[in-house]
Every structure is written in structure tokens, then in C-alpha cells.
Amino acid sequence: MKGRDLINVLLPDELIAEVFRRLGGSKASCDACALVCRRWLGIERACRRHVRIGANGDADRLMEALVRRFSGLQSICVDERLPISCPSPLVARMTPRKRHAKRSSEARSTLENNEFGENEVVCSISDAGLAALANGCKGLEKLSLIWCSSITSAGLSSIAESCKSLRSLDLQGCYVGDQGLIAIGESCQLLEDLNLCFCEGLTDKGLAGLAKGCANSLRVLGIAACAWITDNSLKAVASHCSSLESLSLDSEFIKNEGIIAIAEGCQSLRALKLLCRNVTDEGLQAVGSFCSSLELLALYSFQKFTDRSLYAIGKGCKNLRSLTLSDCYFLSDKSLETVAAGCTGLTYLEINGCHNIGTLGLESIGRSCPLSELALLYCQRIRNSALLEIGRGCTLLQALHLVDCLSIDDEALCEVAQGCRNLKKLHVRRCYEIGDKGVIAVGQNCKLLRDLSLRYCDRVGDGALIAIGQGCPLEHLNLSGCHQITDVGLTAIARGCPELISLDVSVLQNLGDIALAALGEGCHVLKDIVISHCPQITDAGLAHLVRGCTQLETIQMVYCPSITSAGVATVISSCNHMKKVQIEKWKVSNRTMRRSAAVLSFLCVEL
């Protein structure tokens, strides 16, 4: 640092570290601080608490470098689905001149963005990498190992021996055995959160051993696609972990016996997610009888629950706040009527593909429950009167999702708009009876709306967008497939919504360069735009867009016949923040390919 720097000289490391901690954990801010000087680089490394890396390169050597560089890590996510590169200092010894040349790039510490180096070696993380992690990060509190298929119980035992403060462990897709999980239970007695999705090597013995060791701490447990985990595991959890608060099960091997054991032994349960085809009314009735603190219930995919199950929940779980019913074909309006009568604090409701639930049940919900979010997906039996009741009774509603609700039209949307003036998110998809009238009512009444999606609502036109532009401070807008919309409507949005961040106008046959020019003039913070399948957009429109929207990070523009290689080059050369450009490969010039290959994504490859 040039000149006299009294502040940096006088401030102790501890105070500078506290300043770094108060930056809110922003990686960009921390990296910027690390570039100031060597001292700040060292302090920032010592203060770094969280990293996320890939694991399909030379992951073991990367892990060794990671723990040497950042000594205070508390949370590490290793995801084998993400690419990494092995740091070149680990591959070859560097001369002092080269080391000096790389000092600034090293200071950026771009581990979370998987830009650690350039030399890639195909090798996933193994037990040796976990051993290095365990030795270097003894204060580790959160560890995620996503699809790290090469680790075994030996590696997990290394973590158990050294990381006694571990509180959260995610083993999704890891083929670890029982001994590793038992070791975690014996040593990591502060463990609160455990995810065992696709852990095919585990049996009841391993989970029972962990439950016994973490009896007083385990709060959250997720089990999915573990073929050897049966009701015996749930009995062990119920016997030892009476403080369990959240349970997620996706298994064909769990039956009523295990759910009943959980209900009786874990009466503090607050969240239950079930995708278990062999669990029937008997299991849920036990939950309703014993788990009076239940706040979230989600039932997924073709299960055998009938109205008797929801009757027990409505009668016994008065604190229920969130209810998701997906493809529950045997539930009817009586289920919702029971929930409405008993769970008057319900704030979130999702009904997805439940073909026997219709209007009457939702009317009961509207009259009794203060919903803040409602999702109706593939509910063809629900008609206008249900949403009329929602509009009258749910004045605090902030988010509404409608997908393939073919019997709902403008009248219902007008009632919601007039009654739910706090609406912030409205997503409508393939509701063909909704047109300008309903959306205009939203624009006139919902002054807080920030997220609007009208995908494939082909009766919506420019009049609706003019009302939205005049009344709503939109940040996110999706108009994909609304073929009546033209430059007039989008120009109104550009002028009325200067805070727009993301926009999807794909498959709009009548949209042209005038709309893009208006966006360039009015929406200077726009980051993401999709203009695919828009035949009238040309290179001239792109030039107008990027002249004003300099913050663009992603753009998708496939199947736009009037866009050429010149337009692609204009976009890339004008947007310094660009991260992804999706385009046909044959439209990219050799020069653009050489300069910007990292941001190019090709949907169509010329054969």
C-alpha cells in the first residue's frame, strides 16, 4: 500500500476480522477485501466460514489445499455434480516470479465458483479427501456430500473422530455403510439435521445406531430411496429421538407400523412429508392423534389416504400452517372442509392433481383460513366461486399459482384482485379463460405485485400489460406464449416497471425491435431475458437492448431467424456481466467463439 496508512497499521487483526464478518457473508465483498493487501488476504482467509465446491476433478488434492487456505471453515458443501479444476500450485512447483504473478488471482479465492485452477484430473473425492477435511476443519458444523460416490464408512469415521461439533450432515447419493453412520452417532452428539437420500448402502442397523447416539439432538431427518431402511429404523428413531421435529420419507418400504411409532414417540413433530405408498389412513390417524404440534403436512403422489386421514389431522393438529396435497386421488371436498374447520391458522395450501377435490372444499378454506399463499395445479373441478370466497376471506394473500385450471376465468381473478390487495406474486399458466379483464383488475388493485407470470394465457393482450405497467412495480415477468401481445404492451411495461430484473417473452410472434428498444431505454437493471422463438426480433433490436441494459447476465435467443452472428457479437461485446448466452452454434462466428466460449450455450448443434 502506497503512502502512510495509519488505519491499517493501528487496527488489530481481530477488529478487521470483525469488519469482514459484518459484510453479511457476501463472497464478492470478501474477495474484494482480500485484494487490498497480504495482511487482509490472510485475515479474510481465516474468517471464511462457508465454501461450496465440485468433486469430479482431483477433489482430494483440492480438499487438502482448501483446508490449508481457509482455516476457520464451519460449513462445506461438496457436490460431485459440479465441475472443479485442480489448483495448479498443487500440480507443479511455481517459481517466485510465477507465484507473484498469480498472487492477485489467488487472493480472489474463487472456490465457491469452482474456478480454483485450470488443470483437471478425473477423480472424485475419496476417503483420503475426507480425512484431510477432518484434520483441517475440526470446528466443522455443516457438511454436505452430494453424490460423492467414492466415499465409504472409513471417510465418514474420520469426520466423526475429528468434527465433534457437527450439526448438519447431508449424504445424498453417497454409498456409505452402517459403520460410518454409527460412528457419526457415537461421536457427533450435537447432530441435528441428517439427510439420507439415495444412500443405498445403509440398513436399519446404521440408522438405529445413529439414533441411539444422537438421541437428544436429532431434530430433522430425511430418508428417500433407501431400500434397506424399514419400519424398524423408524421404531428406533421414535424410541430414542423424542425431540424430532421434521421427518421426510420417500420410500416404498415404510408402512403404517413405522409412522405410528413415530407419531407415538415423537410427539413434538412439526413437519411431516410423506411419499410412502404403503402408508394408509391408519398411519395418518395416529399422527392426528399424537402430534398436536404439527405445522406442516405434505402428502405426495398416488397414496391411499382418504378423507378419514384429513379428518384426523383437522381434529388433532390445530396448529397446522402448511398443507400440500399432490395426486391424492381419494381425497374429496370433505377433507378440506374438515381442515378448514379445525386448522383455522392455515396460511399455505397447495392442491396438485387431486381430481376429487372441487369447489366446496376450497370455499370452506376461504371462509375460515387466513391464507398467504395458494397453489391450484391441474384442478379442473375447481370453479369461480371458490376463488370468489378466497378473494373475500383471504385478504392477506400474497401469492397465487394457477396451472391448468380450465374452469377459472376473469370473474374469479377480478374478485381476487379486489379482495387481496397485498398480492405480490401471481403465476397463471394455461388458464385459457383468463384474459385482459382479470389482469387489468390486478393492475388496478394489486399495487405491491412484483412477480407476474402469464404463460400460455392466449387471451391476454396489450391492454392487460398497459394496466400492469401503470400500477405494479414488477421485478419478474413471464409472458411466454401469450401470442396477442405486441410491442405496444411491452413498451408499457418498459416505461412503467424500471426495476424489472427478469423477463421471458419467448414464443411471441408479434414482438419486434421496438419492444427491445423500449426495454433498453427503461429497464436498466434487467439481468435475465428470454426472447427465443420471436421471429420478428433482429440484430437492430438486440443493439438497442444492450445499449441500455448493461447489467444483462443471461440471454436466451434460439430459433430467432432474423438474429445473425453480428447480433450475437454485439450482445457479448456490450455486456461485461454476461454469464450465459444460449444460441444456435452456427450463428456464432469464430472470433466470438474464441473470445467468449465460456458464456456460450448451444441448444442446436449443426451436424
Side-chain angles (χ1 to χ4, degrees), residues 177-247:
D178 293 333
Q179 295 306 314
L181 206 58
I182 293 173
I184 292 289
E186 292 174 348
S187 300
C188 304
Q189 298 185 2
L190 299 177
L191 189 70
E192 299 177 355
D193 189 341
L194 177 63
N195 182 14
L196 301 175
C197 292
F198 302 99
C199 294
E200 299 178 357
L202 295 178
T203 71
D204 291 333
K205 178 181 177 181
L207 186 52
L210 180 132
K212 184 177 180 180
C214 301
N216 297 321
S217 62
L218 195 64
R219 298 288 186 273
V220 181
L221 176 62
I223 301 173
C226 299
W228 305 107
I229 298 293
T230 69
D231 287 337
N232 291 330
S233 289
L234 295 191
K235 291 179 182 178
V237 170
S239 176
H240 298 291
C241 306
S242 59
S243 298
L244 191 71
E245 296 180 357
S246 178
L247 177 63

Side-chain angles (χ1 to χ4, degrees), residues 396-501:
L396 299 179
L397 192 72
Q398 295 186 18
L400 176 62
H401 307 259
L402 302 173
V403 176
D404 278 3
C405 296
L406 303 182
S407 299
I408 292 175
D409 60 24
D410 285 333
E411 181 185 0
L413 196 57
C414 288
E415 193 69 33
V416 169
Q418 293 168 8
C420 308
R421 295 175 181 265
N422 293 311
L423 201 66
K424 296 180 180 179
K425 177 188 289 187
L426 174 62
H427 283 198
V428 183
R429 187 172 72 197
R430 290 194 301 268
C431 295
Y432 300 120
E433 298 302 316
I434 290 179
D436 281 353
K437 182 180 177 181
V439 180
I440 288 173
V442 170
Q444 293 173 342
N445 294 280
C446 303
K447 303 300 183 181
L448 301 178
L449 191 72
R450 295 188 176 277
D451 189 342
L452 175 63
S453 178
L454 300 169
R455 297 179 61 190
Y456 297 98
C457 295
D458 54 11
R459 294 182 62 236
V460 174
D462 291 334
L465 293 194
I466 292 172
I468 292 293
Q470 292 173 347
C472 304
L474 287 187
E475 295 179 355
H476 307 278
L477 177 61
N478 191 326
L479 301 170
S480 177
C482 299
H483 67 265
Q484 291 192 31
I485 291 173
T486 69
D487 291 340
V488 174
L490 203 59
T491 297
I493 292 293
R495 293 172 178 171
C497 305
E499 300 302 317
L500 198 66
I501 297 173

Side-chain angles (χ1 to χ4, degrees), residues 371-396:
L371 292 183
S372 61
E373 185 165 359
L374 172 64
L376 302 177
L377 315 177
Y378 312 103
C379 297
Q380 299 184 11
R381 292 189 58 191
I382 293 179
R383 302 186 181 277
N384 278 349
S385 58
L387 283 188
L388 297 182
E389 209 63 60
I390 293 294
R392 295 188 186 107
C394 302
T395 58
L396 299 179

Side-chain angles (χ1 to χ4, degrees), residues 268-285:
S268 298
L269 199 67
R270 295 180 180 274
L272 178 61
K273 299 179 181 180
L274 288 180
L275 203 170
C276 301
R277 298 188 181 185
N278 292 313
V279 175
T280 62
D281 287 338
E282 185 181 356
L284 266 193
Q285 286 174 320

Side-chain angles (χ1 to χ4, degrees), residues 315-331:
K315 184 178 180 180
C317 304
K318 304 295 185 182
N319 294 317
L320 195 68
R321 298 290 182 268
S322 175
L323 176 62
T324 298
L325 305 174
S326 179
D327 294 318
C328 296
Y329 291 163
F330 300 103
L331 299 181

Side-chain angles (χ1 to χ4, degrees), residues 109-164:
S109 51
T110 54
L111 281 167
E112 288 125 318
N113 285 336
N114 306 297
E115 298 169 357
F116 203 47
E118 297 179 353
N119 299 313
E120 186 170 304
V121 182
V122 179
C123 177
S124 60
I125 192 169
S126 69
D127 293 338
L130 282 191
L133 172 60
N135 292 330
C137 299
K138 297 185 182 297
L140 194 65
E141 296 182 1
K142 182 177 181 180
L143 176 61
S144 297
L145 301 171
I146 312 296
W147 293 104
C148 298
S149 55
S150 296
I151 64 172
T152 68
S153 288
L156 211 54
S157 297
S158 300
I159 295 293
E161 292 172 5
S162 300
C163 305
K164 308 289 186 181

